[in-house]
Amino acid sequence: MFGIVRPCSHRLGEGLKTQWMAHLCGLCLTLRGDHGQFARVVTNYDGLLISVLTEAQAERTTGWRRTAGPCPLRGMRTASVAQGEGARLAAAVSLVLASAKVRDHVADKDGLLARRPVALAARRVAASWGRAGARTGSDVGFDTAVLVDAVDRQVGIEALAGPGTPLLTVTEPTETATAAAFAHTAVLAGRPGNAEPLAEAGRLFGRLAHVLDAVEDQETDAASGAWNPLTATGTPIMEARRLADDALHGIRLALGEVEFTDGKLAHLLLAHELGRSVDRAFGTSGCGHQAHADGARGAFGPPQHGGPYNPQSPQSPYDGQNPYGGGGNSFGGASSFPPPGPGRRGFWAGCAAAIGVCCTCKVCCADEFEGPWSRKRREGCLGNCDCNCCEACEICECCECCSCCDCGL
């Protein structure tokens, strides 16, 4: 499961948490029902926004939910899950974009995909997903050709991009694809007047997702020699943050023009959790406007210790500890250097670990779990609690964004 919108269960509350899980499980089960068990691996957090937006605009009927049977990912509990055209559109978009992602990894010869037999199998899976996404998209009146065209153009744009190329030139195909998907939710919900503002929200969401992905992966890409938009275009990190904040503000304004039947969950995810995703990616805390209220230095609020916006106070490599031993004793005590982490698992060992993680419900319910292949600590689906503002929304106070719906957040 991948994506930039990863809400904390404490901020969602019991009611919205149940709704969010209904859409997540609904997307997963729609993929299984229409395309088989293996298709469930393309379930992702951002894809379910399509289902959320569709239901948020639609008139309430009895056909938007069904009771699903026990599932290992829910601790063998039944649940009410989303169904219908919104979930199917989300499945179509997820399949097509996952197909493109696999083909991109094959072209880059990443990891095991550098081996010809594995690459051949991956190409077949990607082609199957692409066809399946096109069929499902056609069933709900959405032409996935716009997504495929965006992916194809992305490859050419990245090949031509270099120092001085505007970052927005690189993000344009992603913006176009997400704008089309967001706008079609208005069609499915019978709210054609919402198509234009939702297209704008989708365009900016695509920009934000692309920028945040580039920021989070920049160091890893540099180490592996992979292509990164920020590095390739020479875009400073401060400019990337400015673009991210502008996109976030634009999304909030666009949501204010959308007519929702019940927009609480959509508003929380797109107006609030996106802001926290920006802070998480850039290593800052608080909204970008908070600096003006606090008198803090810098344009994007008070940076966390050692973050990219704290050049005056770089984190010490020893973090205030004696490099030769703990407790201030140079010749005794525990070492201040952590032991090396466990090595990566092999492919088949990782597969076995992945099955164990899924069947024990850790992906959805645990605060942390060990990555099956990387063995790095990963946050659970609803366990990434960074909220010290559960009782009062600081973003609303400084940005006044909650006028876009009567959610009371």
Side-chain angles (χ1 to χ4, degrees):
M1 297 182 186
F2 49 92
I4 64 172
V5 183
R6 305 192 296 270
C8 167
S9 59
H10 297 88
R11 289 191 296 264
L12 285 174
E14 194 60 36
L16 293 182
K17 175 184 175 181
T18 300
Q19 288 187 40
W20 192 81
M21 287 298 297
H23 288 284
L24 182 63
C25 293
L27 172 57
C28 179
L29 293 175
T30 298
L31 287 165
R32 184 200 67 178
D34 290 352
H35 309 291
Q37 287 283 1
F38 186 64
R40 301 171 81 175
V41 301
V42 309
T43 304
N44 67 91
Y45 300 139
D46 294 344
L48 67 88
L49 288 173
I50 302 296
S51 179
V52 170
L53 284 171
T54 303
E55 186 175 284
Q57 300 170 75
E59 296 296 333
R60 287 292 169 264
T61 64
T62 58
W64 290 98
R65 290 284 191 273
R66 71 177 180 88
T67 300
C71 174
L73 296 181
R74 293 192 300 269
M76 299 308 295
R77 296 186 297 269
T78 61
S80 175
V81 302
Q83 65 173 352
E85 293 185 328
R88 299 195 72 195
L89 176 61
V93 172
S94 298
L95 283 165
V96 173
L97 295 184
S99 171
K101 192 175 185 71
V102 170
R103 286 191 282 111
D104 183 56
H105 284 307
V106 170
D108 292 341
K109 297 182 178 180
D110 292 335
L112 286 173
L113 296 176
R115 302 178 181 178
R116 291 187 62 184
V118 179
L120 180 60
R123 287 193 190 96
R124 290 180 177 175
V125 170
S128 174
W129 283 348
R131 291 191 298 269
R135 288 196 305 270
T136 301
S138 178
D139 291 342
V140 295
F142 181 67
D143 187 0
T144 58
V146 65
L147 306 183
V148 176
D149 176 69
V151 171
D152 291 341
R153 286 190 295 107
Q154 186 75 55
V155 175
I157 289 173
E158 291 182 359
L160 296 174
T165 301
L167 185 61
L168 297 188
T169 300
V170 179
T171 64
E172 181 275 324
T174 306
E175 296 177 22
T176 301
T178 51
F182 273 46
H184 197 69
T185 65
V187 176
L188 295 182
R191 302 263 192 177
N194 287 343
E196 185 174 347
L198 282 174
E200 177 67 4
R203 182 179 68 83
L204 294 173
F205 179 84
R207 176 185 302 180
L208 188 58
H210 203 134
V211 170
L212 295 190
D213 183 66
V215 170
E216 291 178 338
D217 293 347
Q218 189 171 24
E219 291 186 6
T220 304
D221 290 343
S224 63
W227 194 91
N228 183 280
L230 300 181
T231 304
T233 61
T235 302
I237 196 72
M238 296 290 284
E239 173 63 10
R241 178 65 196 249
R242 185 190 69 80
L243 291 173
D245 279 349
D246 286 349
L248 182 61
H249 183 61
I251 290 171
R252 289 170 175 165
L253 292 177
L255 287 179
E257 301 178 16
V258 179
E259 183 179 353
F260 288 116
T261 300
D262 181 0
K264 292 180 182 179
L265 180 59
H267 173 78
L268 185 143
L269 296 177
L270 288 170
H272 295 258
E273 293 303 328
L274 268 182
R276 293 185 173 93
S277 297
V278 172
D279 292 331
R280 184 167 57 241
F282 285 93
T284 58
S285 61
C287 166
H289 301 80
Q290 191 66 30
H292 302 293
D294 296 341
R297 174 184 174 277
F300 302 115
Q304 292 178 343
H305 179 64
Y309 298 102
N310 196 6
Q312 301 299 323
S313 302
Q315 186 174 358
S316 166
Y318 304 120
D319 198 23
Q321 301 294 322
N322 187 326
Y324 300 104
N329 184 345
S330 299
F331 302 99
S335 171
S336 58
F337 292 108
R344 290 177 59 88
R345 288 190 179 94
F347 177 75
W348 294 113
C351 289
I355 293 172
V357 167
C358 290
C359 290
T360 55
C361 202
K362 289 184 177 180
V363 173
C364 286
C365 302
D367 289 340
E368 284 188 338
F369 64 92
E370 187 180 79
W373 287 274
S374 68
R375 306 193 75 171
K376 294 180 180 178
R377 302 306 299 175
R378 304 293 187 190
E379 294 175 341
C381 180
L382 294 178
N384 56 319
C385 180
D386 57 357
C387 56
N388 46 13
C389 58
C390 297
E391 297 181 358
C393 175
E394 295 174 356
I395 293 182
C396 293
E397 294 174 2
C398 64
C399 302
E400 299 179 355
C401 64
C402 284
S403 60
C404 56
C405 77
D406 58 352
C407 68
L409 295 172

